[in-house]
């Protein structure tokens, strides 16, 4: 998904728009979004391979990319979409594979004031519970398939 030429063009346009800073109240979050978009663009193959389980956030991200213009109210939800993608990528690839922007983004969530594990928001439930659980489920399925193949080898 992130590797298609159309998506990458939209990411570049959105990055430039965010860095023109038309969003006075969301300037910090707009810069965070631009930095994460730059990371996704640079690592598009990795993100395409590793980030697909959180369909709501992925669909919302695609909807934002498809908009002709975004406004101030789109910045915070866009940041949440990007943070979910970073969370999934870093859990799948390992935190040691995260770049500075990804590490800063995760720290922003974990040490920040906007989200809490128990705040009941869709973002927090997804970031703290659903993404890690989906990875555990995927690993469990992979192990189950591997065990089945070893019990019933193909002849």
């Amino acid at each position: 998904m992130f590797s298609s030429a159309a998506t990458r063009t939209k990411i570049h346009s959105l990055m430039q728009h965010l860095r023109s800073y038309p969003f006075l109240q969301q300037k910090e979050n707009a810069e965070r979004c631009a930095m994460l978009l730059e990371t996704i663009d640079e690592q598009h193959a990795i993100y395409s391979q590793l980030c697909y389980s959180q369909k709501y956030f992925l669909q919302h991200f695609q909807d934002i990319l498809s908009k002709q213009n975004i406004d101030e109210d789109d910045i915070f939800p866009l940041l949440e979409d990007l943070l979910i993608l970073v969370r999934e990528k870093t859990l799948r690839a390992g935190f040691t594979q995260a770049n500075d922007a990804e590490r800063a983004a995760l720290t922003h969530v974990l040490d920040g004031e906007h989200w809490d594990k128990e705040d009941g928001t869709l973002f927090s439930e997804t970031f703290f519970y659903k993404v890690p659980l989906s990875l555990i489920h995927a690993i469990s399925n992979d192990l189950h398939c591997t065990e089945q193949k070893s019990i019933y080898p193909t002849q």
Side-chain angles (χ1 to χ4, degrees):
M1 182 233 147
F2 301 101
S3 293
S4 79
T7 299
R8 293 186 67 209
T9 299
K10 289 176 183 179
I11 286 172
H12 281 249
S13 295
L14 182 54
M15 211 175 359
Q16 289 174 342
H17 182 64
L18 290 167
R19 287 199 165 133
S20 70
Y21 302 114
F23 310 107
L24 299 176
Q25 307 236 335
Q26 290 285 331
K27 188 173 181 177
E28 247 181 75
N29 285 336
E31 180 55 30
R32 276 190 190 94
C33 288
M35 289 171 47
L36 293 176
L37 286 167
E38 186 173 8
T39 292
I40 289 170
D41 182 51
E42 290 170 355
Q43 299 180 32
H44 61 89
I46 294 168
Y47 272 87
S48 290
Q49 183 180 16
L50 298 181
C51 300
Y52 53 83
S53 72
Q54 301 308 313
K55 292 177 182 25
Y56 172 83
F57 289 91
L58 190 57
Q59 181 61 51
H60 186 264
F61 175 65
Q62 290 174 320
D63 291 346
I64 293 280
L65 284 179
S66 297
K67 287 178 118 179
Q68 289 291 78
N69 294 305
I70 64 168
D71 56 32
E72 192 112 18
D73 292 338
D74 293 321
I75 302 299
F76 195 74
L78 172 62
L79 178 61
E80 289 184 330
D81 297 340
L82 296 170
L83 290 168
I84 293 297
L85 292 171
V86 168
R87 175 75 160 160
E88 185 168 14
K89 185 257 183 179
T90 56
L91 284 174
R92 287 182 183 273
F95 188 74
T96 58
Q97 301 300 309
N99 68 16
D100 290 342
E102 292 166 325
R103 285 187 185 112
L106 294 174
T107 300
H108 178 66
V109 174
L110 298 171
D111 295 343
E113 302 170 3
H114 295 291
W115 304 280
D116 181 87
K117 284 183 180 183
E118 306 303 325
D119 67 16
T121 63
L122 179 60
F123 173 82
S124 292
E125 287 179 18
T126 303
F127 186 91
F128 292 107
Y129 302 108
K130 289 181 181 177
V131 172
L133 289 173
S134 71
L135 298 179
I136 291 169
H137 182 71
I139 291 167
S140 175
N141 283 342
D142 288 348
L143 288 174
H144 179 71
C145 289
T146 302
E147 288 173 358
Q148 290 296 327
K149 287 179 184 175
S150 67
I151 293 172
Y152 304 107
T154 57
Q155 299 172 357

